[in-house]
Amino acid sequence: MTDLLAMHDIADGQLQSSDDRRLGRVADILCRHQDDGSLKAIALALGPEAYLRRISSRFARRVHRLFKGRFERSVEIGEVVEFGPTLRLREKADAYNVHDGEIWAARVIRFVPGSGVSQASLDVAARSRSAPAPDPRRGDVWVSDLVGTPVIDAEGQEVGHVIELLIGRRHHRVNAILTGSYGWLGRLGIRTLVHRLGWRGPHEEVLWERVAEVRSDRITVQPRRAAAGASVTEKR
C-alpha cells in the first residue's frame, strides 16, 4: 500500500459525505507532533484563511485578525475512507462541522449576475452550520508552512526544499520528505512511474526518522547513519 502525497493526493481534494453531498475542497492539512517524535496528520482544513496560508502565512495571520476563523472548518483525517480526486467520508453530511464548506466563496460570487446565490440562501446555510473549527495547539504544523522550507543537514549544508510529504494511508504519519525534482514528480503524479523505471535523484527522499528539528525557517536532519543507529536503539 503506497503512501499518500500531501499536496497531490489530499490538498484540493473534494470532500464528499456518504450521502454524496459535497462539503468543500481541502485547503490545508494540520499535523501534530507525537511523543515518539513522529509527525501525524490529524485534520483537513477548509476555508479562505487556509487557502491564504498557502500563499503567505503572514498574510493569512492578518486575515485571521479580520475574520477570526469565522468561515474556517475542519474534518478529522480519520473520517476519510477513500482517497482520490474525491475524498469520501464515512458519515453523512450532517455529522460534520462543515455542511457547506465553500459558503465563504458563495458570499463573493453572489454579486456575479446569474450565479443563483441569494443572501437569503446564505442566511439559511449560516444558521445550519455549527461552531468554527478549534484553533491548532501550540507546536502543531500546517503542511502549507512545511512546503518550501529548506532542509539542512547537521553540517549546515542545504539538502533541498520540501516539495512533498509522504503520509501513511493507515496511521497518517509523515513518513518522508520529498525534495528536488523527485518531489516535483510527486506533485505531478508521476513519481511512482519514474521510480519503477529505476531513477531516483540523490538526497531527494528524506525519511522523517532523520528529522532532528523543525523550525519555521528550516528543517534540520541527521546523517543517515546516525538516524539508522537511533532507530536500532529505539527498537532495543
Side-chain angles (χ1 to χ4, degrees):
M1 181 179 291
T2 58
D3 289 340
L4 296 163
L5 289 163
M7 302 305 294
H8 179 266
D9 296 325
I10 303 177
D12 297 324
Q14 174 69 60
L15 287 175
Q16 187 167 313
S17 60
S18 61
D19 53 348
D20 295 328
R21 291 175 61 180
R22 295 185 176 184
L23 305 180
R25 291 187 176 275
V26 178
D28 208 344
I29 306 166
L30 182 64
C31 298
R32 179 162 294 164
H33 289 283
Q34 305 298 299
D35 293 337
D36 60 3
S38 63
L39 186 68
K40 182 178 181 179
I42 61 169
L44 310 176
L46 305 87
E49 293 177 29
Y51 273 111
L52 290 171
R53 189 164 46 243
R54 290 168 61 174
I55 300 173
S56 169
S57 297
R58 184 176 300 178
F59 182 53
R61 287 193 292 269
R62 293 176 180 174
V63 173
H64 179 74
R65 287 195 288 269
L66 177 63
F67 291 115
K68 300 187 184 303
R70 182 179 178 185
F71 304 115
E72 299 305 290
R73 296 295 180 270
S74 67
V75 173
E76 292 183 6
I77 194 171
E79 290 296 305
V80 180
V81 295
E82 180 181 335
F83 289 92
T86 298
L87 280 63
R88 296 192 61 85
L89 304 175
R90 70 177 72 253
E91 303 289 348
K92 295 182 179 180
D94 291 340
Y96 301 103
N97 292 343
V98 185
H99 208 69
D100 183 355
E102 294 180 334
I103 191 171
W104 57 272
R107 291 183 180 276
V108 176
I109 67 173
R110 76 178 189 271
F111 297 108
V112 178
S115 66
V117 179
S118 65
Q119 183 60 46
S121 63
L122 288 172
D123 291 341
V124 171
R127 288 195 297 271
S128 65
R129 290 183 322 194
S130 55
D135 291 332
R137 294 181 187 173
R138 182 180 178 85
D140 286 353
V141 181
W142 292 102
V143 165
S144 61
D145 288 336
L146 291 176
V147 171
T149 302
V151 181
I152 309 296
D153 64 20
E155 287 73 36
Q157 298 296 316
E158 186 174 290
V159 176
H161 289 73
V162 179
I163 305 298
E164 264 288 12
L165 297 172
L166 290 179
I167 297 177
R169 287 180 179 269
R170 293 182 178 176
H171 51 63
H172 303 135
R173 281 180 166 80
V174 176
N175 290 329
I177 297 169
L178 298 187
T179 66
S181 54
Y182 197 53
W184 283 113
L185 291 174
R187 290 282 288 272
L188 295 173
I190 57 175
R191 178 183 66 93
T192 302
L193 173 62
V194 174
H195 181 62
R196 287 177 179 174
L197 294 175
W199 181 85
R200 177 183 293 188
H203 306 296
E204 294 192 334
E205 180 173 325
V206 180
L207 297 180
W208 188 262
E209 64 187 29
R210 291 179 55 198
V211 174
E213 183 182 26
V214 179
R215 293 175 37 171
S216 60
D217 60 339
R218 66 176 180 239
I219 296 176
T220 305
V221 298
Q222 301 172 341
R224 297 190 181 192
R225 292 181 180 177
S231 298
V232 172
T233 301
E234 288 177 1
K235 290 180 180 178
R236 289 178 181 176

